[in-house]
Every structure is written in structure tokens, then in C-alpha cells.
Amino acid sequence: MGLVCEWCGSAAKNGENIVYWELPDGTRAIQIIETPAVVCDDCNMVYQTDEITKEIEDQLFLIDTKKIGNSISYKELMSLPRLLKRNYFDFSS
């Protein structure tokens, strides 16, 4: 079975979009371009999966965010070196 829209239940597809994320320290928000997304042509929703959201949140928590400008691509963000190996404050797993 293919990708299903979480909003309307119709068939969806993989795509990309631009998201805006507040940094963990709350000092500013950044633009993340080319972010993987689910795209539904029926209800016009474009959203990130829970997995992508967690990846972004973890990465922003584990890197030196001062080195990020106002905008960065998803791939560039995910390739930045981490200060810690994993998010030791995430008790969900």
C-alpha cells in the first residue's frame, strides 16, 4: 500500500516544502528548505511525518545552532556535525 494522507485518508505522495523552526534556545527561528514532506492532492495538505519532525528536533538540539544562518537546506542541516552522539534528554525511545 502506498502513502496515505493522515488528514483525509486519500492517496498521498512524497514531496518537499519549506518549514520554519524555532531553535531550542528560543533565540530565533530558521527556515529549512527542501524538507521532506507528505503531499496530498485531494485535501492540499503538505506536512512532515513524525519521524522527520523528530529528526529535525534532535539535530537542532545536538548541533551548534550559532553556525546556522537564517536559512538552511534539510540535507545541510542533517549533515552538520553533532556535539553529542544522541539526544540524551529524549526518553521516548
Side-chain angles (χ1 to χ4, degrees), residues 36-56:
V38 176
V39 179
C40 178
D41 291 331
D42 284 352
C43 71
N44 295 317
M45 286 300 297
V46 179
Y47 62 93
Q48 277 59 54
T49 62
D50 291 341
E51 293 80 16
I52 294 294
T53 300
K54 183 168 177 9
E55 285 179 13
I56 292 171

Side-chain angles (χ1 to χ4, degrees), residues 17-30:
N17 70 339
I18 297 172
V19 297
Y20 298 87
W21 226 273
E22 184 177 348
L23 296 180
D25 63 5
T27 57
R28 63 190 173 105
I30 60 169

Side-chain angles (χ1 to χ4, degrees), residues 6 63 84:
E6 292 181 19
I63 63 172
L84 298 170

